[in-house]
Amino acid sequence: MQKKQGFFLNSLVGLKLVMALSGVMLLGFVIVHMLGNLQIFLGRDAFNAYAHFLKKNEGLLWGARLFLLAALLIHVSTALKLRQVNSSARGSDYVCKNTVQASFASTTMLASGLLILVYIIYHLGHFTLGTFHPEVYSLSINRNNSGEHDVYYMTVRGFQNGVVALGYVLAMGVLFCHLSHAIASFFQTLGLSCPRNSSFLKKLSVVVAGVVFIGFVSIPISVQLGFLKLPLD
């Protein structure tokens, strides 16, 4: 039994299935996170209420974080293992074959995935832990003598930095590139893609990735354009 399981996890089919399932979990988080972030357009009170609700449910929040961390580690390690298995199966004689029709997104999946991982580390250090740009993080604490973060203030103040805003937009561009191929690959891995619907699924992947991109970048762009401003108090 262990031998069969080990063979499955080292086979292309097994690895692609693990990649697909862990990837769809991460996609679900990305969409929920985007929808939560978009509440900033409802105003300071609404956005802070959402952030404080998450903060007050520490058990649920940390449970979700650990689950997503496990999914992320599995996704990344599986991607690296899949690259190794592909290289071994292909052999040096087959390198550069069948790449003419491959898209840029499909040929850079590993690179874009690793860049996203680097961005996640920075993003957590910026808005969650206060490791990066600690001056903005500290200024957002106890602004109304409530002992809580003014997350609206922290977000707007953070994206007023042009370099940070640009880096965020570029990171979301990498995420768009990754998702535009990954979503279509998910359907293909599960055997849901066929010649009749493959074109539609590829377009759907680009649309979903585009919605995610627009949703996320609308925040730093709105800050830079002055639509989202710092509170007066």
Side-chain angles (χ1 to χ4, degrees), residues 14-33:
L15 289 171
K16 286 182 177 181
L17 183 59
V18 172
M19 278 281 292
L21 295 179
S22 59
V24 78
M25 293 175 189
L26 293 171
L27 174 61
F29 165 74
V30 166
I31 292 174
V32 170
H33 186 50

Side-chain angles (χ1 to χ4, degrees), residues 53-65:
F53 169 78
L54 294 178
K55 188 68 175 178
K56 288 177 182 178
N57 292 273
E58 288 283 349
L60 179 63
L61 182 61
W62 276 104
R65 283 173 175 170

Side-chain angles (χ1 to χ4, degrees), residues 4-151:
K4 289 183 178 180
Q5 185 180 26
F7 172 77
F8 175 77
L9 293 177
N10 283 283
S11 67
L12 286 174
V13 174
L15 289 171
K16 286 182 177 181
L17 183 59
V18 172
M19 278 281 292
L21 295 179
S22 59
V24 78
M25 293 175 189
L26 293 171
L27 174 61
F29 165 74
V30 166
I31 292 174
V32 170
H33 186 50
M34 178 195 70
L35 294 175
N37 285 358
L38 287 176
Q39 293 188 56
I40 195 171
F41 290 105
L42 298 179
R44 179 188 184 190
D45 292 339
F47 191 59
N48 282 339
Y50 164 71
H52 296 160
F53 169 78
L54 294 178
K55 188 68 175 178
K56 288 177 182 178
N57 292 273
E58 288 283 349
L60 179 63
L61 182 61
W62 276 104
R65 283 173 175 170
L66 291 174
F67 176 80
L68 290 167
L69 177 61
L72 179 62
L73 292 175
I74 291 172
H75 197 69
V76 172
S77 60
T78 304
L80 295 173
K81 182 65 177 178
L82 188 59
R83 170 62 65 89
Q84 180 184 3
V85 172
N86 271 327
S87 297
S88 299
R90 184 172 57 228
S92 59
D93 292 337
Y94 295 92
V95 174
C96 297
K97 283 193 175 183
N98 299 323
T99 59
V100 176
Q101 294 181 345
S103 66
F104 174 79
S106 66
T107 57
T108 58
M109 287 296 286
L110 182 59
S112 61
L114 293 176
L115 285 174
I116 292 168
L117 177 60
V118 171
Y119 171 74
I120 290 172
I121 295 172
Y122 169 78
H123 188 60
L124 289 174
H126 184 189
F127 288 113
T128 303
L129 303 175
T131 306
F132 306 112
H133 313 288
E135 70 286 352
V136 176
Y137 188 83
S138 60
L139 285 171
S140 68
I141 299 175
N142 204 27
R143 285 179 52 80
N144 295 320
N145 297 316
S146 62
E148 295 179 325
H149 281 77
D150 187 337
V151 183

Side-chain angles (χ1 to χ4, degrees), residues 30 33-34 37 112 115-120 122-123 127 159 164-180 208-221:
V30 166
H33 186 50
M34 178 195 70
N37 285 358
S112 61
L115 285 174
I116 292 168
L117 177 60
V118 171
Y119 171 74
I120 290 172
Y122 169 78
H123 188 60
F127 288 113
F159 284 137
V164 172
L166 177 60
Y168 188 89
V169 171
L170 292 176
M172 293 306 101
V174 175
L175 180 62
F176 166 81
C177 184
H178 193 82
L179 291 179
S180 66
V208 173
V211 169
V212 170
F213 173 78
I214 293 171
F216 278 119
V217 303
S218 63
I219 299 174
I221 290 176

